[in-house]
Amino acid sequence: MNNIVNTVGKYLYWLSIPRIGFTDVLDILIVSILFYQIVKWIKTTRAWVLLKGIILLLCIALAAYLLQLHTITFILANTMSVGITAVLIVFQPELRSALEQLGRKNWIANIFSTDTDQVKEGYTARTLQEIYRAAIEMGKVKTGALIVIEREVMLGEYERTGIPIDGKVSSQLLINIFEHNTPLHDGAVIIRNNRIVSATCYLPLSDSVEIGKELGTRHRAAVGISEVSDSITVIVSEETGDISIAVNGKIKHALAPQEFRDELSVLREENTSSKKFKLWKGLNRNERKNRE
């Protein structure tokens, strides 16, 4: 009888609700806030892509362990031990920037902030139309321009190198930014959620040997940002007025107006569900109306 009572008592102990005190609630709250801030920081840098790659590797490692694939398990186990050091080396600038922001941030205001700027809205037909018009007009007068259209990979670290704008995308604003001898004409413009978020941004230069010698620093920077993100970058040459597009580490040079329109139309909707959306309907009709 005593054995039965002891066994039932053990089960009841595990099923009982533990007593939660003030310190427990405070501990959970602090950990939750720290975890949220870390994830928020990761989402605004290239580390988000790295995190998804690490999760994929962990899933592969788990599947290999369950299926008793000893060779794959051995390779992944030894690779992971070196991977942490590699991550610290590769993302040293981002980690340093995060620590600097940690000291400057207003934590109280940040915790209770209702800011929703990071929510993906998807590029509207109007935004694409304004980018198209601006590039065509700047190409006619040979005004150099570098327009980065952010997609899934956040470009927060490059945005912070420029001057905040936070203006609605319009062809007039883009042309004015890149006008010769103006304070904002040098560097790149970053567009997110149908708004110009920053100008005069510094972009990483590509080391690719496939880039032609006739293309300058502006084109090399466009390829560089496309190598580290999924962004689409529009380049207007200051020497020739040619319009080019860089995406996925490749550059399509000297596009005709129709080719440029077709390339812009492949932009995918940027929203939380990552669904495709219908792009740029009736652009030709609107262009004809504007001409008339």
Side-chain angles (χ1 to χ4, degrees):
M1 187 66 182
N2 291 332
N3 292 334
I4 296 176
V5 172
N6 291 333
T7 304
V8 173
K10 290 180 180 179
Y11 280 108
L12 291 177
Y13 171 77
W14 287 108
L15 294 175
S16 63
I17 299 175
R19 298 176 63 181
I20 300 177
F22 173 76
T23 55
D24 299 315
V25 174
L26 182 62
D27 188 25
I28 294 172
L29 182 62
I30 292 174
V31 171
S32 301
I33 292 173
L34 289 175
F35 183 76
Y36 169 76
Q37 293 296 331
I38 291 172
V39 172
K40 186 178 178 181
W41 171 76
I42 289 175
K43 283 284 289 182
T44 60
T45 65
R46 292 178 296 155
W48 180 244
V49 180
L50 176 69
L51 180 62
K52 291 192 289 187
I54 292 175
I55 293 174
L56 178 61
L57 286 177
L58 292 175
C59 292
I60 294 174
L62 178 61
Y65 175 78
L66 294 176
L67 297 175
Q68 298 297 308
L69 304 177
H70 301 294
T71 304
I72 296 178
T73 303
F74 173 80
I75 293 173
L76 289 175
N78 287 274
T79 303
M80 292 291 186
S81 61
V82 183
I84 298 177
T85 305
V87 167
L88 294 175
I89 295 173
V90 172
F91 287 93
Q92 183 269 338
E94 285 82 1
L95 293 173
R96 179 178 178 178
S97 176
L99 291 175
E100 291 175 351
Q101 292 178 47
L102 189 65
R104 295 194 300 261
K105 186 171 290 186
N106 186 342
W107 286 98
I108 301 299
N110 191 68
I111 291 172
F112 296 101
S113 173
T114 57
D115 185 21
T116 56
D117 288 345
Q118 299 300 326
V119 177
K120 294 291 186 180
E121 298 176 356
Y123 291 105
T124 63
R126 179 193 172 281
T127 297
L128 300 179
Q129 205 168 341
E130 294 298 322
I131 295 172
Y132 171 82
R133 289 175 179 170
I136 293 297
E137 291 301 320
M138 288 187 287
K140 291 178 181 177
V141 295
K142 297 183 179 180
T143 298
L146 195 56
I147 305 171
V148 182
I149 305 171
E150 183 185 86
R151 301 171 79 185
E152 291 297 326
V153 178
M154 302 291 288
L155 303 175
E157 63 262 44
Y158 304 109
E159 173 191 344
R160 287 188 287 270
T161 64
I163 298 175
I165 299 294
D166 193 24
K168 193 172 183 180
V169 175
S170 68
S171 58
Q172 295 87 349
L173 179 56
L174 287 171
I175 292 171
N176 189 67
I177 288 174
F178 290 109
E179 186 65 34
H180 294 290
N181 301 321
T182 57
L184 301 179
H185 84 283
D186 194 20
V189 155
I190 294 180
I191 296 177
R192 176 191 303 131
N193 294 347
N194 303 296
R195 299 188 72 81
I196 301 173
V197 295
S198 190
T200 70
C201 299
Y202 295 104
L203 304 181
L205 297 180
S206 173
D207 295 327
S208 175
V209 296
E210 297 180 3
I211 302 176
K213 298 297 183 182
E214 72 278 4
L215 302 180
T217 304
R218 185 178 283 112
H219 294 80
R220 193 168 288 276
V223 175
I225 192 64
S226 71
E227 290 174 341
V228 299
S229 70
D230 62 345
S231 62
I232 291 180
T233 304
V234 177
I235 315 104
V236 181
S237 174
E238 191 172 354
E239 289 74 25
T240 63
D242 291 336
I243 299 174
S244 307
I245 281 185
V247 60
N248 296 327
K250 304 293 182 182
I251 188 168
K252 298 181 179 180
H253 183 52
L255 298 174
Q258 183 60 46
E259 293 175 323
F260 176 45
R261 180 185 290 118
D262 294 339
E263 289 296 331
L264 277 184
S265 67
V266 304
L267 276 172
R268 298 170 58 188
E269 184 179 23
E270 310 260 347
N271 55 24
T272 53
S273 60
S274 297
K275 294 179 181 178
K276 292 181 179 178
F277 85 121
K278 194 185 246 183
L279 288 171
W280 219 352
K281 256 191 167 183
L283 176 61
N284 293 327
R285 184 174 63 255
N286 292 334
E287 286 291 328
R288 285 194 295 270
K289 287 181 180 179
N290 290 326
R291 294 193 190 101
E292 293 171 359

